[in-house]
Amino acid sequence: MAEASTLVIEAELQEVKRARDFVALAFGAWGLEDHVARTVVSELAANAIEHGSSRGDPVVVRAYQREDGSPVVEVWDRSDVLPVVGPVDLCAEGGRGLRLMEALVRAWGVRHLSEGGKVVWAMIAPVPR
């Protein structure tokens, strides 16, 4: 397993770009395509900022490779509230992000942190550059 790379951002929406750039660097170092990873981390970081944090809270973004080479992206926030994939509402302006992410990744899930909060993770198919 590759050593995890970690970035701490503030719970501000403009920080999502830093999360995307961070994941792009990690995937580039592994020789992997980063388009899906950047889309996934955008959704996870935006959700952590909008729904799992108060303004200015730290949000942790991690990227690592499992022993089988599968890359994983994680986002940690302070909320214990789990993400919900809601029903499709064709009239709604939002609420499709987790469905999109779910379609792009091999697997995803959530685990609670012992100190409070949660980690939302997504395993991405490794595609060489």
Side-chain angles (χ1 to χ4, degrees):
M1 179 169 83
E3 187 173 321
S5 297
T6 304
L7 172 71
V8 179
I9 60 174
E10 286 188 32
E12 305 283 344
L13 282 176
Q14 67 267 19
E15 292 284 273
V16 172
K17 181 184 180 324
R18 285 187 61 213
R20 271 195 310 272
D21 293 346
F22 165 77
V23 166
L25 286 172
F27 275 62
W30 301 329
L32 299 176
E33 179 55 56
D34 63 15
H35 288 91
V36 170
R38 286 185 291 128
T39 300
V40 168
V41 81
S42 292
E43 176 62 18
L44 296 182
N47 282 352
I49 291 165
E50 290 182 340
H51 306 294
S53 305
S54 296
R55 186 178 177 142
D57 279 351
V59 172
V60 178
V61 180
R62 291 182 68 218
Y64 63 91
Q65 283 184 290
R66 294 171 17 133
E67 289 180 12
D68 67 1
S70 296
V72 177
V73 174
E74 298 181 339
V75 177
W76 308 10
D77 65 49
R78 292 186 173 187
S79 173
D80 293 323
V81 178
L82 300 178
V84 176
V85 179
V88 175
D89 180 351
L90 299 177
C91 295
E93 291 184 17
R96 295 178 185 88
L98 285 176
R99 285 194 182 278
L100 171 64
M101 185 204 68
E102 191 171 53
L104 293 173
V105 301
R106 283 186 169 173
W108 74 282
V110 183
R111 69 178 185 275
H112 287 283
L113 297 169
S114 59
E115 62 274 13
K118 66 180 173 300
V119 176
V120 182
W121 59 269
M123 183 176 22
I124 299 165
V127 177
R129 283 188 173 223

